[in-house]
């Protein structure tokens, strides 16, 4: 692998080096690269701290017994919205 400026990346594999590897090792490397990409995406999403989507249907009444289903149903109706 090369950088944009044409210099080789440290730890990068050239085509000649990849050609000398066994197919099993190449498959293993491909799985590792996919796994790294997935973990990187998950890490970046955690670091971004995007707000979690929340819906009234997902509200857990057991965690907050002070809120009744009637109150949540009232929040669903647009009557109180101005």
């Amino acid at each position: 692998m090369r950088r944009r400026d044409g210099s080789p990346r440290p730890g990068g594999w050239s085509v000649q080096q990849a050609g000398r590897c066994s197919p099993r090792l190449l498959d293993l490397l491909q799985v590792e690269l996919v796994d790294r990409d997935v973990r990187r995406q998950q890490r970046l999403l955690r670091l971004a701290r995007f707000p979690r989507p929340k819906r009234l249907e997902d509200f857990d009444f057991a965690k907050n017994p002070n809120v009744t289903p009637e109150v949540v149903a009232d929040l669903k109706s647009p009557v109180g919205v101005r």
Side-chain angles (χ1 to χ4, degrees), residues 11-12 19 33 35-37 39 50-51 59 61 74 76 78-79:
L33 288 175
D35 188 48
R36 283 184 183 190
D37 190 42
R39 287 187 312 220
F50 290 126
F59 188 80
F61 295 101
D74 189 41
K76 289 181 182 180
V79 174

Side-chain angles (χ1 to χ4, degrees), residues 1-3 5-10:
M1 297 179 89
R2 296 195 171 271
R3 296 181 181 160
D5 63 0
S7 62
R9 284 187 182 178

Side-chain angles (χ1 to χ4, degrees), residues 2-73:
R2 296 195 171 271
R3 296 181 181 160
R4 289 183 185 173
D5 63 0
S7 62
R9 284 187 182 178
W13 284 60
S14 69
V15 175
Q16 291 126 355
Q17 288 172 322
R20 291 192 296 248
C21 292
S22 68
R24 181 172 163 82
L25 181 58
L26 287 176
D27 290 341
L28 185 61
L29 288 172
Q30 185 65 29
V31 169
E32 176 66 23
L33 288 175
V34 169
D35 188 48
R36 283 184 183 190
D37 190 42
V38 168
R39 287 187 312 220
R40 179 178 176 269
Q41 289 175 1
Q42 291 171 345
R43 178 177 45 85
L44 290 175
L45 283 173
R46 277 193 313 270
L47 288 174
R49 292 188 172 182
F50 290 126
R52 278 192 2 242
K54 298 178 184 177
R55 302 178 341 180
L56 290 174
E57 293 82 18
D58 298 334
F59 188 80
D60 188 8
F61 295 101
K63 288 188 178 181
N64 192 350
N66 296 329
V67 178
T68 62
E70 292 80 22
V71 171
V72 174

